[in-house]
Amino acid sequence: MAGQEIHHTLDLPKFDKRVKLLIVVAPYYKDIADNLIAGAKAVAAEAGAEVDLVEVPGALEIPTAIGMASRMADYDGFVALGCIIRGETTHYDTVCNDSSRGLTLLGLNGVAIGNGILTVENRRQAEVRADPADQNKGGGAAAAALHLVALSRKWARQTKGIGFKPAGEEFRVAGEPEGPSRA
């Protein structure tokens, strides 16, 4: 049973300058969303991060809002929160897959996102996962965002010199002797 499993949790990263997170939540199931938010805010506070919160109509709008904010606002990372409970139609599959895909594409483009969108079979599963005193998936999403912010800061401005010629350097093909520039 999953409830008996022991999972390893990384310690929260330490930051030497301010971290600003944006929590984007779809409060379709308001009580569940409120618990996810509480967990995320508590973890952010523990790490010393500043938090803003915006609401969107549903889980499909979360990636769009994060994409807009990543381009137009000043946030270091993002926490995606919401809940999708299986219903009687295939709409559940569409919302789960497309919201996840949107967040993944943003992440692969360098946006630091913790995904706390619950995808569950029933309300009880959502309640347990959202509860800050139980599985605390909101807190886990905030922690994931903070870890990705730490990585982005670690790797910031590091380049490998691939695909461009640094200013003031001559172009040379590997293995050729140094000599007149071929540029």
Side-chain angles (χ1 to χ4, degrees), residues 50 105 127 132:
E50 185 180 325
L105 289 172
E127 291 167 349

Short mmCIF file of all heavy atoms in Angstrom, two decimals, residues 50 105 127 132:
data_model
loop_
_atom_site.label_atom_id
_atom_site.label_comp_id
_atom_site.label_asym_id
_atom_site.label_seq_id
_atom_site.Cartn_x
_atom_site.Cartn_y
_atom_site.Cartn_z
N GLU A 50 8.99 34.67 -0.82
CA GLU A 50 7.84 35.56 -0.92
C GLU A 50 6.85 34.92 -1.89
O GLU A 50 7.25 34.32 -2.89
CB GLU A 50 8.33 36.91 -1.46
CG GLU A 50 7.32 38.00 -1.53
CD GLU A 50 7.94 39.27 -2.08
OE1 GLU A 50 9.11 39.55 -1.80
OE2 GLU A 50 7.23 39.98 -2.82
N LEU A 105 6.02 21.34 -20.86
CA LEU A 105 6.64 22.13 -21.93
C LEU A 105 7.25 23.41 -21.39
O LEU A 105 8.35 23.80 -21.79
CB LEU A 105 5.62 22.44 -23.03
CG LEU A 105 5.20 21.24 -23.89
CD1 LEU A 105 4.05 21.61 -24.81
CD2 LEU A 105 6.38 20.70 -24.67
N GLU A 127 -8.81 14.83 -0.84
CA GLU A 127 -8.74 15.39 0.51
C GLU A 127 -7.47 14.95 1.23
O GLU A 127 -6.80 15.77 1.88
CB GLU A 127 -9.99 14.99 1.31
CG GLU A 127 -11.25 15.65 0.81
CD GLU A 127 -12.53 15.05 1.36
OE1 GLU A 127 -12.47 13.96 2.00
OE2 GLU A 127 -13.60 15.66 1.16
N PRO A 132 -2.53 19.50 4.45
CA PRO A 132 -1.15 19.79 4.87
C PRO A 132 -0.65 18.88 5.98
O PRO A 132 0.56 18.67 6.11
CB PRO A 132 -1.21 21.24 5.35
CG PRO A 132 -2.40 21.83 4.68
CD PRO A 132 -3.39 20.69 4.55
#
